[in-house]
Amino acid sequence: MSAAQAQQKICSEWNPVNKNEYRGIWVYVEYVNGVIKDGSLQLIGKARELAGKISTDVTAVVLGYNLGDAVKEPIYYGADKVIYVDHPALAKYVPHIYANVIVQLANKYKPEIILFAATKRGRELAPYVANSLRTGITADCTELDVDPKTRDLDQVRPTYGGNILAHIRTPTRRPQLASVRPNVFPTPPRDTSRKGEIIEETINSIPSINGQGLIEVKSVVKGEELPPVEKADIVVVAGRGVGSADGVKLLTELAKLLGGTIGGTKKVVDAGWLAADRQVGQTGKTIRPTLYIGVGVSGAIQHVFGMKESKIIVAINSDPNAPIFQYADYGIVGDYRDVVKELIELLKNYKK
Ligand SMILES: Cc1cc2nc3c(=O)[nH]c(=O)nc-3n(C[C@H](O)[C@H](O)[C@H](O)COP(=O)(O)OP(=O)(O)OC[C@H]3O[C@@H](n4cnc5c(N)ncnc54)[C@H](O)[C@@H]3O)c2cc1C
């Protein structure tokens, strides 16, 4: 069987749906400790723009327990409606429970698009939901558009190491699911004069925490947190040249000794060595610290975009021709392991 035939076979197992039965754009709005994640607000802004092109409305979906007035917030940022479920089983985030509730809501209301911020939770929930709804998902989009004729979502994301931009569509299935990293789109202004519809949904069959024997959350322990990259005055940035998660660990030690924080390039985030919210650059955070130290960072334009306003730029790279040196105030050519270990020793002795 050829690859094309195999593809055809996989697709035919998922029969096309009647697209006309599906209307509206949903944004899964993530509340953590009573605060909406910026990435969700940014998606409401984008959803508003897309909704205008296909004359539909924007609905925010909020899950949690004791949500109170928080459910109104998405309206202030551009949603037309909020559908919320307030239930003790949703007090703690448990992926299979949250996904199950979103799937039940989607089966009832039939939205044509569901957007998720590509946070830790969003990255986990979106594929869970997509699989349950037997539909496609495009993760980590950097742009979204919609075709007014077919109402197909144009999901744009870099691929092959960022060398090409893929335009991905879900032409025969609904809803269409996509996730977008925080800060790709701007946060819309908060307008408390906006009005919208608030719908409380009661879901009768929320799976119990232990019900499916999958995951039981015993407790939530907050890990040691360094300041976010956009807030720190000193940022040590790990590039692909550090080679592994252990390399990032070494740089984190350096960042702590300097009283700063750790960031990374896209390659480091894509490799899973660092959380996505620590990415610096065009599709990550824009930073302006007093001191930026780039270690094993080549200096690609998409990265430089996010750090070029730093006051003092230091680059450590084994390649004397690495482009990062063009932007650096101070450059050290060498293997980062030698250089960083020595810096750590110096700082430890200095602090004694
Ligand atoms: C649409 C789009 C958006 C993008 N957005 C971003 C973004 O937001 N942020 C971002 O960072 N990138 C972004 N990229 C990716 C960007 O183009 C580069 O691929 C990326 O920045 C390169 O990361 P890097 O410098 O870690 O890796 P590389 O380019 O692979 O560089 C690794 C460097 O490490 C050096 N090195 C290797 N071993 C050692 C050693 N032992 N000691 C010291 N140095 C060593 C090498 O000489 C090299 O210079 C984007 C790309 C696209 C297409």
Side-chain angles (χ1 to χ4, degrees), residues 90-343:
L90 301 170
K92 281 184 192 153
Y93 166 71
V94 183
H96 75 271
I97 295 181
Y98 269 57
N100 180 291
V101 173
I102 297 170
V103 168
Q104 289 192 53
L105 294 173
N107 280 330
K108 175 172 177 183
Y109 287 91
K110 296 193 182 312
E112 56 201 304
I113 294 171
I114 311 180
L115 304 178
F116 293 80
T119 55
K120 287 191 192 94
R121 285 189 190 181
R123 281 161 188 262
E124 188 170 42
L125 271 180
Y128 226 126
V129 173
N131 185 50
S132 302
L133 293 172
R134 288 283 182 263
T135 188
I137 164 148
T138 306
D140 285 346
C141 296
T142 52
E143 187 48 281
L144 295 172
D145 202 353
V146 67
D147 181 334
K149 280 196 192 132
T150 60
R151 305 177 79 88
D152 287 348
L153 185 65
D154 187 19
Q155 302 156 89
V156 186
R157 61 152 301 156
T159 189
Y160 292 112
N163 290 319
I164 60 167
L165 284 178
H167 288 251
I168 298 169
R169 294 191 177 202
T170 312
T172 59
R173 302 292 304 174
R174 291 292 185 267
Q176 308 161 85
L177 268 62
S179 71
V180 180
R181 285 200 190 158
N183 298 323
V184 168
F185 303 127
T187 306
R190 183 172 185 265
D191 175 1
T192 50
S193 68
R194 287 196 86 255
K195 300 269 178 282
E197 192 183 348
I198 310 269
I199 303 164
E200 178 171 13
E201 271 292 335
T202 45
I203 302 265
N204 296 325
S205 59
I206 291 186
S208 71
I209 303 267
N210 296 316
Q212 297 183 11
L214 294 173
I215 295 170
E216 183 187 351
V217 178
K218 295 266 191 194
S219 64
V220 179
V221 181
K222 218 167 162 7
E224 190 186 3
E225 281 277 316
L226 284 170
V229 277
E230 67 278 22
K231 299 225 166 104
D233 211 31
I234 298 175
V235 183
V236 178
V237 170
R240 177 77 184 77
V242 305
S244 65
D246 280 344
V248 176
K249 231 187 232 173
L250 187 68
L251 297 199
T252 307
E253 192 184 345
L254 175 64
K256 276 185 197 161
L257 284 166
L258 288 167
T261 198
I262 183 83
T265 63
K266 183 170 181 301
K267 281 197 178 173
V268 164
V269 168
D270 288 350
W273 303 340
L274 204 56
D277 58 3
R278 295 199 169 266
Q279 181 181 318
V280 174
Q282 187 185 326
T283 44
K285 302 275 171 65
T286 300
I287 59 170
R288 293 162 185 264
T290 305
L291 177 61
Y292 162 102
I293 306 179
V295 185
V297 174
S298 61
I301 192 68
Q302 294 89 353
H303 179 73
V304 170
F305 181 86
M307 50 62 83
K308 62 182 185 321
E309 302 298 334
S310 308
K311 213 162 176 188
I312 300 169
I313 297 176
V314 177
I316 302 169
N317 198 303
S318 53
D319 175 5
N321 297 315
I324 189 82
F325 287 126
Q326 294 167 21
Y327 307 93
D329 299 291
Y330 300 95
I332 303 173
V333 178
D335 187 303
Y336 87 90
R337 295 175 200 88
D338 303 333
V339 180
V340 171
K341 277 180 189 156
E342 202 161 327
L343 282 174

